[in-house]
Each structure stands twice: as C-alpha cells, then as structure tokens.
Amino acid sequence: MSNQPIVLHLVSEATGQALEAVMRACSAQFQDAEFSPRNWNLVRTRVQVGRVLAGIRDEPGPVLSSLTSPDLQTILRVECARIGVQVKNILDSTIHFLEEQTGIVAERHPGGQYVMDDSYRRRIDAMQYVIAHDDGQKATDLAKADVVLVGVSRTSKTPTCFYLANRGIRAANIPLVPHAPLPPGLVDFHGLVVGLTIDPYTLLEIRRSRVGMMLPGRSIATPGMSETSVRPYIDPQNVQEELQWARRLCVRFKWPLINVTHRSVEETAAAIIDMLEHDGVTGK
C-alpha cells in the first residue's frame, strides 16, 4: 500500500470526543496504515455542512460522522457520493438497535449527551474536588472522597484522579513518603483506598527525566528540589526500597494495588471504577 497518510474527516455535531475515541481505538488495529484526521466539530446547520464539504473537496478522504440530524446526514451523504468519498455514521446502527429494543423513536437532537443535568454537575464537582485534594492537600478532610489513591512520587496519581473526575468520581491522592507519618484522614478513611505501584526501573527513568538528567546541558536541580534532595530521589537502591516500603504499607492496610507500569491512565482508571462498582460507590 502507499505510504501516504489517509486523510480521515471526522464530522461531529458536538465536541468530537466520541469520534476521536472511535478513531483511536480502530486505527490502533491498523499498524501498517497512517491516518491524518481532519476535525469538523459543532456542525449543526446546512451552512456548516457546506463548509465541511468544501474541506472534503480540497482534501478527499473517507468520512466518519456522528451527526444525528437526518437532514444534515442526507446532505453529507449525497454530496460525499458526488465527491467520490464514503461516509460512515458511527451512531446510526446503535441508535437503530436501541430503537428496536425500547420501541421508542430517538429524538435525534444535536449535542444531546451534553446536558447540564445532575451527571454534568457531578463531574464539575468531582473536578473541583480533585484540584482541592491533589498531592496530599486537605488530607485531613477525605469524608466526601469516593476513592483515595496513594503511591510514591511519579506513579500517575494526579492524571488518574483527573480522569476519574471526568467520570464524576471524587478522587483524592496522597503521596507515600518513607519515614513520614500517614495523614490521620487517610488512616481513618473507611472508603476505597488504592495503591499505585510501578516497576522500579521505569520509575527511575521517569524521575530522572523529571529532574532533567536526561537532557544535555541541564542541571539536575529543579524548582523546589535541592541537589541534596534530588540524589535519593533518583538513586536506584533508594527507589527500590521506596517501592517495597509502599507495597508493604498497602498490604498492611489491605489496600488493593495496581501496577501502572504497562497501563495507560485510562486503563488504571477503568480498574479503579470496577473496584468502586463492586463497592457500590459509582453512580451515587
């Protein structure tokens, strides 16, 4: 096949997140193909569809659509046929399936998933909670947390918390530091606490990158870190002992552990959500 990237037009009536997620999931199964996406978001009028079609004429390529308006779908499909490119609507088959199962005709109004309802407000509340309880902040006030993540420095606690917040889950995170006492709020917390661990060699590389040792001409010192404090932070033996200590601590308190070495943030969050669902926490 040609080494030229395939131009792929993503036409959405909303933010385009669903289309991007589908594209990432599917394109990952085609290692020998390269896709070059063109994003067309908030497409809700005939004029906007016209602009999309002009872009497709300039750069012909297949089209993935999540439009729900039958009128706009028809215009896009007919005009793309004239241009000579194919269109696939990712929502149609699922909507038809749900119509058959419920016996209800879908309303098909643009951006229907982005309604400022209780679920939306919970996501905003969860995001504010994560910001206020990041990196050990307000560790004495964990009563409203759905989950608390613990782990040594650089084990993806913060990005995982933010991903969970986007799912409406209030997540706090607390760094585990050898020889430092645990916050009373953590010891007294009766909800789900999850420990994040990582391969020591991977952690060492992450920490070295963090302090700039892998960049030529850079000092190992970073703001807030003296050279004295940096040395144990990136010492292989110390890193190994730190992780072992944290693991023993989690075992002692019976906190489940997740090894994030080969996991994306999304996969780690999915495992935590599964734990929460078994505890009956999510969706409350």
Side-chain angles (χ1 to χ4, degrees), residues 117-134:
D117 55 8
D118 288 342
S119 175
Y120 176 84
R121 284 184 281 273
R122 179 168 174 78
R123 291 199 301 275
I124 297 300
D125 172 70
M127 194 66 70
Q128 292 172 336
Y129 187 89
V130 166
I131 293 170
H133 294 79
D134 182 41

PDB file of all heavy atoms in Angstrom, residues 117-134:
ATOM      1  N   ASP A 117     -27.154  18.392  33.432  1.00  0.00           N
ATOM      2  CA  ASP A 117     -28.018  17.699  34.372  1.00  0.00           C
ATOM      3  C   ASP A 117     -27.227  17.336  35.621  1.00  0.00           C
ATOM      4  O   ASP A 117     -26.122  17.821  35.845  1.00  0.00           O
ATOM      5  CB  ASP A 117     -28.623  16.448  33.710  1.00  0.00           C
ATOM      6  CG  ASP A 117     -27.542  15.529  33.142  1.00  0.00           C
ATOM      7  OD1 ASP A 117     -26.341  15.775  33.393  1.00  0.00           O
ATOM      8  OD2 ASP A 117     -27.903  14.556  32.456  1.00  0.00           O
ATOM      9  N   ASP A 118     -27.782  16.456  36.446  1.00  0.00           N
ATOM     10  CA  ASP A 118     -27.099  16.063  37.680  1.00  0.00           C
ATOM     11  C   ASP A 118     -25.756  15.404  37.392  1.00  0.00           C
ATOM     12  O   ASP A 118     -24.784  15.604  38.129  1.00  0.00           O
ATOM     13  CB  ASP A 118     -27.984  15.108  38.494  1.00  0.00           C
ATOM     14  CG  ASP A 118     -29.166  15.815  39.120  1.00  0.00           C
ATOM     15  OD1 ASP A 118     -29.123  17.068  39.210  1.00  0.00           O
ATOM     16  OD2 ASP A 118     -30.141  15.139  39.517  1.00  0.00           O
ATOM     17  N   SER A 119     -25.697  14.610  36.316  1.00  0.00           N
ATOM     18  CA  SER A 119     -24.450  13.938  35.964  1.00  0.00           C
ATOM     19  C   SER A 119     -23.372  14.951  35.604  1.00  0.00           C
ATOM     20  O   SER A 119     -22.212  14.820  36.015  1.00  0.00           O
ATOM     21  CB  SER A 119     -24.693  12.978  34.796  1.00  0.00           C
ATOM     22  OG  SER A 119     -23.475  12.408  34.364  1.00  0.00           O
ATOM     23  N   TYR A 120     -23.757  15.977  34.852  1.00  0.00           N
ATOM     24  CA  TYR A 120     -22.816  17.028  34.467  1.00  0.00           C
ATOM     25  C   TYR A 120     -22.314  17.770  35.702  1.00  0.00           C
ATOM     26  O   TYR A 120     -21.113  18.001  35.872  1.00  0.00           O
ATOM     27  CB  TYR A 120     -23.493  18.009  33.508  1.00  0.00           C
ATOM     28  CG  TYR A 120     -22.628  19.184  33.114  1.00  0.00           C
ATOM     29  CD1 TYR A 120     -21.721  19.081  32.071  1.00  0.00           C
ATOM     30  CD2 TYR A 120     -22.734  20.407  33.787  1.00  0.00           C
ATOM     31  CE1 TYR A 120     -20.934  20.152  31.700  1.00  0.00           C
ATOM     32  CE2 TYR A 120     -21.941  21.483  33.436  1.00  0.00           C
ATOM     33  CZ  TYR A 120     -21.043  21.357  32.399  1.00  0.00           C
ATOM     34  OH  TYR A 120     -20.254  22.418  32.046  1.00  0.00           O
ATOM     35  N   ARG A 121     -23.246  18.129  36.581  1.00  0.00           N
ATOM     36  CA  ARG A 121     -22.858  18.866  37.781  1.00  0.00           C
ATOM     37  C   ARG A 121     -21.957  18.016  38.681  1.00  0.00           C
ATOM     38  O   ARG A 121     -21.054  18.539  39.336  1.00  0.00           O
ATOM     39  CB  ARG A 121     -24.104  19.337  38.533  1.00  0.00           C
ATOM     40  CG  ARG A 121     -24.772  20.549  37.874  1.00  0.00           C
ATOM     41  CD  ARG A 121     -25.926  21.051  38.696  1.00  0.00           C
ATOM     42  NE  ARG A 121     -27.109  20.237  38.504  1.00  0.00           N
ATOM     43  CZ  ARG A 121     -28.003  20.426  37.525  1.00  0.00           C
ATOM     44  NH1 ARG A 121     -27.816  21.401  36.650  1.00  0.00           N
ATOM     45  NH2 ARG A 121     -29.068  19.657  37.427  1.00  0.00           N
ATOM     46  N   ARG A 122     -22.202  16.709  38.694  1.00  0.00           N
ATOM     47  CA  ARG A 122     -21.345  15.837  39.497  1.00  0.00           C
ATOM     48  C   ARG A 122     -19.921  15.810  38.936  1.00  0.00           C
ATOM     49  O   ARG A 122     -18.950  15.790  39.691  1.00  0.00           O
ATOM     50  CB  ARG A 122     -21.922  14.417  39.548  1.00  0.00           C
ATOM     51  CG  ARG A 122     -21.048  13.467  40.358  1.00  0.00           C
ATOM     52  CD  ARG A 122     -21.724  12.154  40.655  1.00  0.00           C
ATOM     53  NE  ARG A 122     -20.815  11.243  41.308  1.00  0.00           N
ATOM     54  CZ  ARG A 122     -20.479  11.289  42.599  1.00  0.00           C
ATOM     55  NH1 ARG A 122     -21.000  12.235  43.371  1.00  0.00           N
ATOM     56  NH2 ARG A 122     -19.638  10.431  43.116  1.00  0.00           N
ATOM     57  N   ARG A 123     -19.771  15.815  37.622  1.00  0.00           N
ATOM     58  CA  ARG A 123     -18.440  15.833  37.031  1.00  0.00           C
ATOM     59  C   ARG A 123     -17.699  17.124  37.395  1.00  0.00           C
ATOM     60  O   ARG A 123     -16.501  17.094  37.694  1.00  0.00           O
ATOM     61  CB  ARG A 123     -18.519  15.672  35.516  1.00  0.00           C
ATOM     62  CG  ARG A 123     -18.970  14.299  35.069  1.00  0.00           C
ATOM     63  CD  ARG A 123     -18.616  14.026  33.624  1.00  0.00           C
ATOM     64  NE  ARG A 123     -19.183  14.976  32.702  1.00  0.00           N
ATOM     65  CZ  ARG A 123     -20.403  14.900  32.183  1.00  0.00           C
ATOM     66  NH1 ARG A 123     -21.204  13.898  32.526  1.00  0.00           N
ATOM     67  NH2 ARG A 123     -20.836  15.800  31.331  1.00  0.00           N
ATOM     68  N   ILE A 124     -18.399  18.247  37.349  1.00  0.00           N
ATOM     69  CA  ILE A 124     -17.782  19.524  37.719  1.00  0.00           C
ATOM     70  C   ILE A 124     -17.382  19.507  39.190  1.00  0.00           C
ATOM     71  O   ILE A 124     -16.277  19.926  39.567  1.00  0.00           O
ATOM     72  CB  ILE A 124     -18.747  20.699  37.444  1.00  0.00           C
ATOM     73  CG1 ILE A 124     -19.054  20.797  35.940  1.00  0.00           C
ATOM     74  CG2 ILE A 124     -18.148  22.011  37.957  1.00  0.00           C
ATOM     75  CD1 ILE A 124     -17.842  21.020  35.075  1.00  0.00           C
ATOM     76  N   ASP A 125     -18.272  19.000  40.039  1.00  0.00           N
ATOM     77  CA  ASP A 125     -17.976  18.905  41.469  1.00  0.00           C
ATOM     78  C   ASP A 125     -16.760  18.011  41.701  1.00  0.00           C
ATOM     79  O   ASP A 125     -15.885  18.327  42.517  1.00  0.00           O
ATOM     80  CB  ASP A 125     -19.196  18.352  42.215  1.00  0.00           C
ATOM     81  CG  ASP A 125     -18.884  18.054  43.673  1.00  0.00           C
ATOM     82  OD1 ASP A 125     -18.685  19.003  44.441  1.00  0.00           O
ATOM     83  OD2 ASP A 125     -18.862  16.855  44.049  1.00  0.00           O
ATOM     84  N   ALA A 126     -16.705  16.894  40.980  1.00  0.00           N
ATOM     85  CA  ALA A 126     -15.592  15.964  41.134  1.00  0.00           C
ATOM     86  C   ALA A 126     -14.278  16.608  40.699  1.00  0.00           C
ATOM     87  O   ALA A 126     -13.234  16.409  41.325  1.00  0.00           O
ATOM     88  CB  ALA A 126     -15.852  14.690  40.332  1.00  0.00           C
ATOM     89  N   MET A 127     -14.315  17.404  39.624  1.00  0.00           N
ATOM     90  CA  MET A 127     -13.104  18.075  39.154  1.00  0.00           C
ATOM     91  C   MET A 127     -12.604  19.072  40.197  1.00  0.00           C
ATOM     92  O   MET A 127     -11.402  19.146  40.483  1.00  0.00           O
ATOM     93  CB  MET A 127     -13.389  18.792  37.831  1.00  0.00           C
ATOM     94  CG  MET A 127     -12.149  19.239  37.098  1.00  0.00           C
ATOM     95  SD  MET A 127     -11.127  17.855  36.509  1.00  0.00           S
ATOM     96  CE  MET A 127     -12.180  17.186  35.206  1.00  0.00           C
ATOM     97  N   GLN A 128     -13.529  19.825  40.778  1.00  0.00           N
ATOM     98  CA  GLN A 128     -13.144  20.778  41.817  1.00  0.00           C
ATOM     99  C   GLN A 128     -12.577  20.051  43.035  1.00  0.00           C
ATOM    100  O   GLN A 128     -11.621  20.514  43.660  1.00  0.00           O
ATOM    101  CB  GLN A 128     -14.359  21.628  42.212  1.00  0.00           C
ATOM    102  CG  GLN A 128     -14.817  22.566  41.104  1.00  0.00           C
ATOM    103  CD  GLN A 128     -16.125  23.259  41.423  1.00  0.00           C
ATOM    104  OE1 GLN A 128     -16.926  22.761  42.219  1.00  0.00           O
ATOM    105  NE2 GLN A 128     -16.352  24.413  40.812  1.00  0.00           N
ATOM    106  N   TYR A 129     -13.144  18.887  43.337  1.00  0.00           N
ATOM    107  CA  TYR A 129     -12.665  18.109  44.478  1.00  0.00           C
ATOM    108  C   TYR A 129     -11.234  17.629  44.243  1.00  0.00           C
ATOM    109  O   TYR A 129     -10.382  17.699  45.133  1.00  0.00           O
ATOM    110  CB  TYR A 129     -13.589  16.906  44.723  1.00  0.00           C
ATOM    111  CG  TYR A 129     -13.252  16.152  45.988  1.00  0.00           C
ATOM    112  CD1 TYR A 129     -13.831  16.508  47.199  1.00  0.00           C
ATOM    113  CD2 TYR A 129     -12.339  15.108  45.977  1.00  0.00           C
ATOM    114  CE1 TYR A 129     -13.505  15.839  48.377  1.00  0.00           C
ATOM    115  CE2 TYR A 129     -12.002  14.439  47.138  1.00  0.00           C
ATOM    116  CZ  TYR A 129     -12.585  14.806  48.334  1.00  0.00           C
ATOM    117  OH  TYR A 129     -12.253  14.154  49.491  1.00  0.00           O
ATOM    118  N   VAL A 130     -10.972  17.142  43.041  1.00  0.00           N
ATOM    119  CA  VAL A 130      -9.623  16.647  42.713  1.00  0.00           C
ATOM    120  C   VAL A 130      -8.595  17.768  42.841  1.00  0.00           C
ATOM    121  O   VAL A 130      -7.510  17.569  43.401  1.00  0.00           O
ATOM    122  CB  VAL A 130      -9.600  16.051  41.294  1.00  0.00           C
ATOM    123  CG1 VAL A 130      -8.168  15.851  40.815  1.00  0.00           C
ATOM    124  CG2 VAL A 130     -10.345  14.731  41.271  1.00  0.00           C
ATOM    125  N   ILE A 131      -8.930  18.940  42.320  1.00  0.00           N
ATOM    126  CA  ILE A 131      -7.995  20.073  42.402  1.00  0.00           C
ATOM    127  C   ILE A 131      -7.693  20.427  43.854  1.00  0.00           C
ATOM    128  O   ILE A 131      -6.541  20.686  44.225  1.00  0.00           O
ATOM    129  CB  ILE A 131      -8.576  21.296  41.654  1.00  0.00           C
ATOM    130  CG1 ILE A 131      -8.654  20.998  40.151  1.00  0.00           C
ATOM    131  CG2 ILE A 131      -7.737  22.542  41.911  1.00  0.00           C
ATOM    132  CD1 ILE A 131      -9.430  22.029  39.361  1.00  0.00           C
ATOM    133  N   ALA A 132      -8.734  20.412  44.689  1.00  0.00           N
ATOM    134  CA  ALA A 132      -8.567  20.787  46.096  1.00  0.00           C
ATOM    135  C   ALA A 132      -7.841  19.723  46.907  1.00  0.00           C
ATOM    136  O   ALA A 132      -7.270  20.017  47.959  1.00  0.00           O
ATOM    137  CB  ALA A 132      -9.932  21.079  46.719  1.00  0.00           C
ATOM    138  N   HIS A 133      -7.864  18.457  46.436  1.00  0.00           N
ATOM    139  CA  HIS A 133      -7.295  17.355  47.205  1.00  0.00           C
ATOM    140  C   HIS A 133      -6.146  16.666  46.460  1.00  0.00           C
ATOM    141  O   HIS A 133      -5.891  15.486  46.651  1.00  0.00           O
ATOM    142  CB  HIS A 133      -8.381  16.324  47.545  1.00  0.00           C
ATOM    143  CG  HIS A 133      -9.429  16.858  48.478  1.00  0.00           C
ATOM    144  ND1 HIS A 133     -10.447  17.672  48.055  1.00  0.00           N
ATOM    145  CD2 HIS A 133      -9.604  16.682  49.823  1.00  0.00           C
ATOM    146  CE1 HIS A 133     -11.216  17.981  49.090  1.00  0.00           C
ATOM    147  NE2 HIS A 133     -10.723  17.413  50.167  1.00  0.00           N
ATOM    148  N   ASP A 134      -5.450  17.436  45.632  1.00  0.00           N
ATOM    149  CA  ASP A 134      -4.340  16.864  44.873  1.00  0.00           C
ATOM    150  C   ASP A 134      -3.060  16.855  45.696  1.00  0.00           C
ATOM    151  O   ASP A 134      -2.778  17.795  46.460  1.00  0.00           O
ATOM    152  CB  ASP A 134      -4.122  17.677  43.590  1.00  0.00           C
ATOM    153  CG  ASP A 134      -3.016  17.108  42.722  1.00  0.00           C
ATOM    154  OD1 ASP A 134      -2.936  15.871  42.598  1.00  0.00           O
ATOM    155  OD2 ASP A 134      -2.222  17.901  42.174  1.00  0.00           O
TER     156      ASP A 134
END
